[in-house]
Amino acid sequence: MTHDVLIVGAGPVGTALALALRHRGLDVAMVDSRVRGASGGDPRVLALSLGSCHTLRRLGAWGALDSTPIRHIHVSQEAAFGRTLIDAAELGVDALGHVVRAGDLARALDGALGDDDGLTMIEGSRVASLEAGDDDVVVGLDGERTAVRARLVACAEGGIDESAPDVVSRDYHQHAVITLATPERPHENRAFERFTAGGPLALLPFGSRYAVVHTASPDTAEHLAALDDVEYMAEVERRLAGRVRLTRVEPRLRFPLMLRYRRVPVGARTVWLGNAAQTLHPVAGQGFNLALRDVWALATAISENGARDVGEAPVLARYARARRMDRRATIGVTDALARLFSNDIGPLAALRGAGLLTLDACPPLRGLLARTMMFGARAWS
Ligand SMILES: Cc1cc2nc3c(=O)[nH]c(=O)nc-3n(C[C@H](O)[C@H](O)[C@H](O)COP(=O)(O)OP(=O)(O)OC[C@H]3O[C@@H](n4cnc5c(N)ncnc54)[C@H](O)[C@@H]3O)c2cc1C
């Protein structure tokens, strides 16, 4: 039997696609090497753009999700001039975005899926091979003698093999150190993005606490992770020039950072989504947001094709065309931010300062930046 769509990976991106394809009269299967619900343990904290919140609401996953609105973002750089404040009220929106725990997001998506009768769930099986033919893809599963077949395979397995053809890779030689910290005074839904020579430091309002994403060289990250709590809090306060005082901090976790993306995220009867299409630096908090825009566009391209073969080349070409600009812009801007704002080269610091001052003095430009963060490249049209 041949499924219409096989989704590889039941992480947040794969599950979002399963939800987006629901009730479209398709035979959909999803396979994950882990047991269902394993993504619920992800301790990372994600900033969701306003566009993502709308999409999650349409997918039925927003109501059950604990989230904290971001109403102001203070952007500045360490040891140099220039700062700007992005304000939700000034843009006429209630929030610029929302902060959620990645594990809660995965659980909310899985909860929305429930026991969807139309979905075949294959748990605890790793996809080991894909062989695209004229009419379908033969999907080999580890330890299974019978292969699964699908007209379209959507790969959302959360990573990209560097040796795959057409993959671009850049090691930033940076790690993200993440933790939760309790502020002395209520955060009033204000986020901080502070650019330092070692890499950006972000504080996101999360419940009554801050989620801290601290980017640094691997050695510094190791040092930061090893500091005792009091020393670490003093370090964050110092980096933010005393704008925030902390009273408590949780143990720190580390993630190596890199840029890796497929130049073309579609192939023969195959499409790559989420971290399997592009793994981004978290500086702009765009990885999952971009993935969700891709998921929605793919589901739309598939349903516009009607009852015909969903893996046909024109369907994938239409999807890739629709997503090209937003994808390129998000990858490019994220990469530029990660590199431009992670050094202490004098002229660049001055340029950054001038950029921040220009943004501060020019509300329309600030509005465009904020709308791009909220909705992706469609904010430009
Ligand atoms: C420190 C940090 C901060 C971030 N902050 C933000 C943010 O603020 N905003 C934002 O939008 N994004 C952010 N991101 C990015 C975001 O976390 C990712 O975009 C998102 O988690 C990717 O989800 P995914 O479903 O693609 O992959 P995953 O969550 O990794 O899921 C992949 C799934 O595939 C399964 N799998 C893997 N291989 C196979 C196989 N061969 N066969 C079957 N199953 C398989 C796995 O078991 C897993 O369940 C951040 C990332 C980091 C590292």
Side-chain angles (χ1 to χ4, degrees):
M1 173 199 169
T2 303
H3 299 288
D4 288 313
V5 184
L6 176 82
I7 303 169
V8 182
V13 174
T15 309
L17 179 64
L19 283 167
L21 292 177
R22 234 169 21 162
H23 312 311
R24 295 189 196 246
L26 296 168
D27 173 348
V28 180
M30 184 155 68
V31 56
D32 200 292
S33 48
R34 301 184 293 172
V35 291
R36 187 168 178 183
S39 294
D42 191 335
R44 283 175 301 177
V45 170
L46 309 181
L48 297 180
S49 67
L50 221 49
S52 291
C53 303
H54 293 328
T55 305
L56 289 171
R57 194 168 287 124
R58 283 164 118 166
L59 296 179
W62 183 248
L65 189 55
D66 248 352
S67 65
T68 308
I70 302 175
R71 299 215 160 91
H72 322 272
I73 306 178
H74 185 280
V75 188
S76 63
Q77 56 175 342
E78 192 181 39
F81 69 96
R83 67 93 162 121
T84 192
L85 190 67
I86 301 172
D87 194 75
E90 189 183 283
L91 292 160
V93 290
D94 174 55
L96 296 160
H98 288 260
V99 182
V100 299
R101 226 184 112 256
D104 291 346
L105 170 67
R107 259 202 297 269
L109 286 161
D110 189 59
L113 202 56
D115 295 319
D116 184 348
D117 293 340
L119 179 78
T120 306
M121 202 61 157
I122 310 168
E123 297 176 60
S125 280
R126 198 181 76 85
V127 169
S129 63
L130 299 177
E131 231 173 272
D134 286 345
D135 299 323
D136 58 14
V137 184
V138 180
V139 182
L141 303 179
D142 253 1
E144 305 275 334
R145 269 182 302 162
T146 333
V148 179
R149 304 180 90 100
R151 285 185 224 295
L152 173 67
V153 174
C155 296
E157 70 264 32
I160 306 173
D161 177 0
E162 195 183 5
S163 63
D166 214 25
V167 169
V168 178
S169 263
R170 181 195 307 287
D171 189 342
Y172 290 113
H173 303 291
Q174 286 183 339
H175 285 193
V177 178
I178 65 162
T179 187
L180 294 175
T182 310
E184 196 176 78
R185 286 191 290 163
H187 52 56
E188 296 174 334
N189 302 90
R190 177 179 301 245
F192 289 92
E193 181 89 47
R194 178 86 162 158
F195 294 104
T196 78
L201 167 65
L203 266 67
L204 305 171
F206 179 60
S208 59
R209 296 187 281 181
Y210 278 117
V212 182
V213 184
H214 202 150
T215 314
S217 70
D219 287 350
T220 308
E222 196 178 338
H223 167 73
L224 290 171
L227 286 177
D228 72 32
D229 292 356
V230 173
E231 288 171 330
Y232 181 72
M233 287 190 290
E235 176 68 15
V236 173
E237 291 173 0
R238 188 179 66 73
R239 294 259 175 210
L240 280 163
R243 288 184 175 90
V244 170
R245 296 272 169 228
L246 303 173
T247 58
R248 208 187 128 102
V249 70
E250 300 293 318
R252 269 85 64 201
L253 297 172
R254 270 197 298 151
F255 294 85
L257 302 178
M258 70 181 74
L259 167 68
R260 192 169 286 172
Y261 64 95
R262 293 174 187 274
R263 277 206 178 84
V264 184
V266 296
R269 294 188 171 277
T270 309
V271 54
W272 288 274
L273 293 164
N275 275 12
Q278 62 274 317
T279 304
L280 305 181
H281 193 292
V283 58
Q286 287 300 308
F288 181 73
N289 291 311
L290 173 62
L292 209 49
R293 298 197 288 274
D294 289 343
V295 159
W296 193 260
L298 179 64
T300 306
I302 286 175
S303 64
E304 279 171 4
N305 202 42
R308 297 206 308 274
D309 177 356
V310 297
E312 281 177 347
V315 179
L316 297 182
R318 199 164 48 244
Y319 160 74
R321 240 188 343 267
R323 297 302 302 141
R324 190 172 299 139
M325 180 166 91
D326 185 20
R327 180 171 189 261
R328 278 192 188 159
T330 307
I331 294 173
V333 168
T334 300
D335 183 41
L337 277 177
R339 292 196 288 147
L340 199 68
F341 282 87
S342 299
N343 60 68
D344 53 2
I345 301 165
L348 276 183
L351 199 67
R352 289 190 303 250
L356 291 174
L357 284 181
T358 309
L359 277 177
D360 204 47
C362 183
L365 207 58
R366 211 163 56 237
L368 181 65
L369 173 74
R371 280 194 299 279
T372 306
M373 304 294 276
M374 290 190 283
F375 299 112
R378 80 186 137 100
W380 305 340
S381 52

